Amino acid sequence: MAAPSQSTAFPTLRTPAGDVPDGAPRWNPQRPSAMPHHRYRPAHERVALPLTDRTWPSRRIERAPLWVPVDLRDGNQALAEPMDTARKRRMFDLLVAMGFKEIEVGYPSASRTDFEIVRHLADSGAVPDDVTVSVFTAAREDLIDRTVASLEGLPCTLVHLYTATAPTWRNVVLSRSRAEVHRLILDAAGHLLRRTEQLAGADIRFEFSPEVFNLTEPDFVLEVCDSVTELWEASPDRPVIHNLPATVEIATPNVYADQIEYMHRHLARRDSVILSVHPHNDRGTGVACAELAVLAGAQRVEGCLFGNGERTGNVDLVTLALNLYAQGVNPMVDFSDIDAVREVVEHCNRLPVHPRHPYGGDLVHTAFSGTHQDAIAKGLAHHAERAAERGIAAEEAPWAVPYLPIDPGDIGRSYEEVIRVNSQSGKGGIAHLLRTHHGLDLPGRMRPDFSLAVQRVADATGRELSHKELWELFRTTYIAPALDGPVTLASWSATEPAPGEHRFTCVLRADGQEHPCQGTGNGPLSALADALRTVGIGVDVLGYTEHATGTGPESSAAAYAECRVNGVTRWGAGWDTSVLTASVHAIMAAVNRRDTEAS
């Protein structure tokens, strides 16, 4: 039968149909797409890359950079509904509580709301003594004046000055030459210096961003930054910040790292400069750009919680900080309740965090796959055992659990969400949930049997099963048949007339009739099996286990029996405060399941 035409199924797509490129290996039959890729220039044609002796690849990140959240400015600019003062204040309070020490709060000349949040923070006393408030302004005198006016009463502030420097922006947006853009920047930096000197008693520092740094000629960026460093009279005890943004991500992260290392090695008065980066995520590699930039010499990273920002977003500070945490590096900010952080961010941004978002999404610690669940369940058990052997709490023990790069408990997550069951799940995860939530420790040989029962239900419903639904399915499948099957015990007793000799006396109800029965054996269960044979039910107990489901005298016992009943092997289970009663029920459940479809 011929395959359906793809052009019929997806008429708006142009399935690649060109010749396979010369030299392509036989295993790669891909054909050239008709998309006009020739319209775009590779990064090495757009910007010079002067670094040839890079050193960043051999370095390691051993301490956190200074994190600077820009949610209230850059992130806010990207919202369809920008934050009002109340939402901005809630976000600011969150950032302070998390431990951020430098927070960009707005663009005071851009809107009345942005101006008012700066005034609100100044007038309300909301800013702790060790937190620096940063404000953002373009390099225009009227905008600088409005920005400085917002700062009155704030004890420690940072004014962030920016101008685009890349050729396309100079030519298309600003219509100025390199020299003219340089002059514009120095004039604005000088005006800012003079205006802030009029604020008595204020501790004001400066930051400069050559916007679109990553598409600007390296020699021009160096020339501009060095002149600004000199004009602002930077010194080691009063450094200026040069923030080098990947405003629009256009290359692989190693290219950005090379650019940062070049600046790190060539900036004048390097000990008087804090080298900062501000990656965006247009290629989806903003996190990698930031991490490699820190290897290359960056000391400060600007970004947003959960990566909100224009286009595909700013670099994600949650991922960056917890990536370090997962390497044993103190992140210097707190995520011990990541869901509380996410709740505030979602409220303030009015945007949801994706369920697969690294660390913070609803599903990032959840395994549905059977092999993953089995590995996680075994890993958690092994972790608990190793902690007990060392005599320390599990939450203090070194972490090494398959598929979980960090302990979910460290960021306020419960283990309940780690393993969840659907049609993709396996016996290990199912057993883990029954043990964790209901105290059932299914024998290894029984787990595949129950897994098939779960699979049938999950396939039929097409949805996830909760641990309560698993328990109910287990109860109806393995426990309930003892009491409501075709053969039940109307009454029974077990005695031991002599050591090693057991007698089981019962009244069996079957086919609407009652049958008095008696059997003997070397234990009560073998005596029960002997009694069942008197009514034509042959039972061989192939395996049997039992355990308490809790602690204390009132806890129930669970019993599991694998039996060959008239030549058919079936599992049964019992649940009772009496171990013997649970055991008898397990045998009877297996008997009553002999005519059911194998699980």
Side-chain angles (χ1 to χ4, degrees):
M1 180 177 178
S5 169
Q6 301 303 315
S7 60
T8 301
F10 304 101
T12 59
L13 295 181
R14 297 170 292 175
T15 302
D19 294 334
V20 175
D22 292 339
R26 291 176 60 85
W27 48 262
N28 185 354
Q30 291 181 144
R31 298 173 182 273
S33 164
M35 295 180 67
H37 64 282
H38 60 276
R39 300 178 60 210
Y40 304 96
R41 296 165 59 204
H44 67 270
E45 292 182 7
R46 303 178 68 183
V47 62
L49 302 174
L51 192 69
T52 59
D53 58 341
R54 61 191 58 79
T55 62
W56 59 263
S58 61
R59 297 178 186 159
R60 292 185 300 172
I61 303 177
E62 298 179 328
R63 60 182 299 176
L66 176 65
W67 307 116
V68 181
V70 296
D71 299 78
L72 295 170
R73 195 276 301 173
D74 203 357
N76 187 57
Q77 289 177 198
L79 299 177
E81 299 179 40
M83 298 180 220
D84 55 19
T85 298
R87 283 191 288 154
K88 279 203 166 197
R89 173 60 190 271
R90 188 174 183 189
M91 178 76 82
F92 179 82
D93 289 344
L94 170 71
L95 296 170
V96 170
M98 294 175 68
F100 290 103
K101 297 303 179 184
E102 194 171 294
I103 303 170
E104 193 170 79
V105 300
Y107 194 159
S109 63
S111 70
R112 185 176 69 181
T113 302
D114 272 33
F115 187 91
E116 287 178 350
I117 186 61
V118 183
R119 296 308 316 141
H120 168 78
L121 294 175
D123 296 338
S124 64
V127 185
D129 292 340
D130 62 346
V131 171
T132 297
V133 165
S134 173
V135 290
F136 189 74
T137 181
R140 265 178 42 192
E141 289 192 1
D142 59 326
L143 303 183
I144 292 170
D145 290 344
R146 177 70 169 165
T147 300
V148 174
S150 72
L151 302 179
E152 187 72 42
L154 284 169
C156 188
T157 55
L158 174 71
V159 182
H160 183 175
L161 181 73
Y162 82 95
T163 296
T165 54
T168 301
W169 276 253
R170 295 197 307 260
N171 299 333
V172 176
V173 181
L174 300 176
S175 299
R176 300 192 186 212
S177 66
R178 274 178 51 150
E180 289 171 331
V181 169
H182 193 173
R183 185 72 262 162
L184 179 154
I185 291 168
L186 287 181
D187 287 346
H191 182 74
L192 174 60
L193 182 62
R194 291 188 295 274
R195 286 289 286 110
T196 54
E197 286 174 346
Q198 299 170 17
L199 292 176
D203 179 12
I204 299 179
R205 295 185 296 115
F206 303 116
E207 173 180 356
F208 171 65
S209 285
E211 191 184 6
V212 211
F213 153 78
N214 59 321
L215 276 170
T216 304
E217 307 92 331
D219 66 309
F220 183 49
V221 177
L222 199 61
E223 175 187 327
V224 171
C225 287
D226 285 347
S227 63
V228 171
T229 301
E230 181 177 359
L231 187 150
W232 280 341
E233 300 179 341
S235 63
D237 61 345
R238 193 173 182 78
V240 301
I241 298 165
H242 285 311
N243 185 56
L244 307 178
T247 307
V248 180
E249 192 178 33
I250 56 94
T252 51
N254 61 294
V255 173
Y256 188 54
D258 282 353
Q259 294 174 310
I260 297 301
E261 183 169 342
Y262 176 81
M263 296 297 293
H264 168 59
R265 288 162 60 175
H266 292 89
L267 278 167
R269 300 161 78 164
R270 183 65 184 87
D271 62 349
S272 301
V273 171
I274 299 170
L275 184 55
S276 175
V277 292
H278 182 117
H280 278 250
N281 199 44
D282 298 270
R283 290 169 53 93
T285 58
V287 167
C289 278
E291 291 179 328
L292 298 192
V294 171
L295 291 175
Q299 302 155 287
R300 180 180 182 272
V301 176
E302 296 184 351
C304 289
L305 296 179
F306 300 107
N308 176 52
E310 292 173 301
R311 303 181 307 280
T312 57
N314 288 285
V315 72
D316 178 358
L317 295 186
V318 173
T319 301
L320 282 172
L322 288 174
N323 279 356
L324 285 187
Y325 182 75
Q327 296 295 310
V329 177
N330 193 315
M332 306 302 285
V333 284
D334 184 68
F335 291 99
S336 57
D337 188 349
I338 200 165
D339 288 329
V341 173
R342 192 184 70 179
E343 182 266 328
V344 172
V345 172
E346 289 181 327
H347 167 78
C348 293
N349 288 342
R350 295 180 179 174
L351 289 173
V353 171
H354 194 281
R356 294 292 182 190
H357 188 285
Y359 301 107
D362 276 337
L363 297 178
V364 297
H365 298 118
T366 301
F368 292 105
S369 161
T371 55
H372 290 208
Q373 291 177 339
D374 184 58
I376 291 171
K378 290 175 179 174
L380 291 173
H382 182 268
H383 177 75
E385 291 168 5
R386 296 290 81 78
E389 289 172 1
R390 296 183 180 199
I392 58 177
E395 59 269 22
E396 295 296 327
W399 183 255
V401 173
Y403 297 111
L404 295 177
I406 66 171
D407 183 347
D410 287 353
I411 54 175
R413 291 285 177 85
S414 71
Y415 292 107
E416 181 172 343
E417 62 219 348
V418 170
I419 293 176
R420 289 160 58 177
V421 171
N422 63 13
S423 62
Q424 304 297 308
S425 305
K427 59 184 183 297
I430 294 166
H432 171 81
L433 290 180
L434 289 177
R435 181 174 61 250
T436 301
H437 296 284
H438 303 285
L440 291 176
D441 189 7
L442 272 58
R445 288 169 55 85
M446 188 183 192
R447 294 179 185 185
D449 194 79
F450 184 48
S451 179
L452 290 174
V454 173
Q455 185 83 32
R456 281 201 296 269
V457 173
D459 281 336
T461 61
R463 63 176 180 81
E464 178 185 349
L465 275 67
S466 70
H467 68 83
K468 293 179 180 178
E469 290 173 308
L470 290 176
W471 158 248
E472 182 59 22
L473 179 59
F474 183 86
R475 188 192 68 78
T476 57
T477 302
Y478 297 104
I479 298 176
L483 303 177
D484 58 13
V487 180
T488 58
L489 293 170
S491 62
W492 63 274
S493 64
T495 60
E496 189 177 8
E501 178 186 340
H502 293 260
R503 179 174 296 132
F504 194 95
T505 303
C506 63
V507 175
L508 278 174
R509 185 179 292 119
D511 301 324
Q513 298 182 358
E514 293 189 348
H515 308 274
C517 302
Q518 190 175 93
T520 60
N522 59 6
L525 298 187
S526 61
L528 168 59
D530 188 51
L532 290 169
R533 289 189 190 96
T534 66
V535 291
I537 302 174
V539 178
D540 294 314
V541 180
L542 305 178
Y544 169 80
T545 58
E546 64 186 44
H547 64 81
T549 60
T551 58
E554 300 302 318
S555 65
S556 295
Y560 314 90
E562 183 183 20
C563 301
R564 185 182 295 113
V565 184
N566 291 348
V568 177
T569 300
R570 290 290 183 267
W571 280 92
W575 178 283
D576 198 89
T577 52
S578 162
V579 174
L580 179 57
T581 300
S583 305
V584 169
H585 286 173
I587 301 295
M588 293 306 299
V591 166
N592 283 319
R593 296 187 68 241
R594 67 190 184 279
D595 294 327
T596 63
E597 180 184 354
S599 296

